[in-house]
Amino acid sequence: MTLRPALVEALVLVASSAEEQAEWVRRLRVGPDEIALMFDDAWRAPQGELTGEDLAGLRAIDAILDEMTVDRTVDHWSVVALAEGVGWERARVLARGILDR
């Protein structure tokens, strides 16, 4: 499967460590939600044919980020959440798996 460059770039950011993500957020002067928005924009763009384990992983990342958006009991969109959030860690693991394949 060949991923579009924008999706690869988004996956690299999602797969990055919490420290790298926090630095990206600080450097661009945006909130952590921009990481999710970048992934969403890249994921929703036409990709060609996506199949198999990678497609399942992309869907899972999307679902995790959607869950974080809906869950108002925790602030998932803070720099602290990047380091401590279970959702962020789950998304990182999935993104790394896709990139490794």
Side-chain angles (χ1 to χ4, degrees), residues 18-19 21-23 25-26 31-32 68 74-89 92:
E19 295 82 17
Q21 291 170 334
E23 177 56 32
V25 164
R26 280 191 284 277
M68 289 168 39
V74 177
D75 181 8
H76 298 284
W77 310 113
S78 69
V79 173
V80 171
L82 290 172
E84 298 176 0
V86 174
W88 283 109
E89 186 55 33
R92 273 187 208 99

Side-chain angles (χ1 to χ4, degrees), residues 59-76:
R59 286 182 176 148
I61 293 168
D62 188 48
I64 290 165
L65 298 174
D66 284 347
E67 289 170 16
M68 289 168 39
T69 299
V70 172
D71 179 10
R72 305 271 187 214
T73 63
V74 177
D75 181 8
H76 298 284

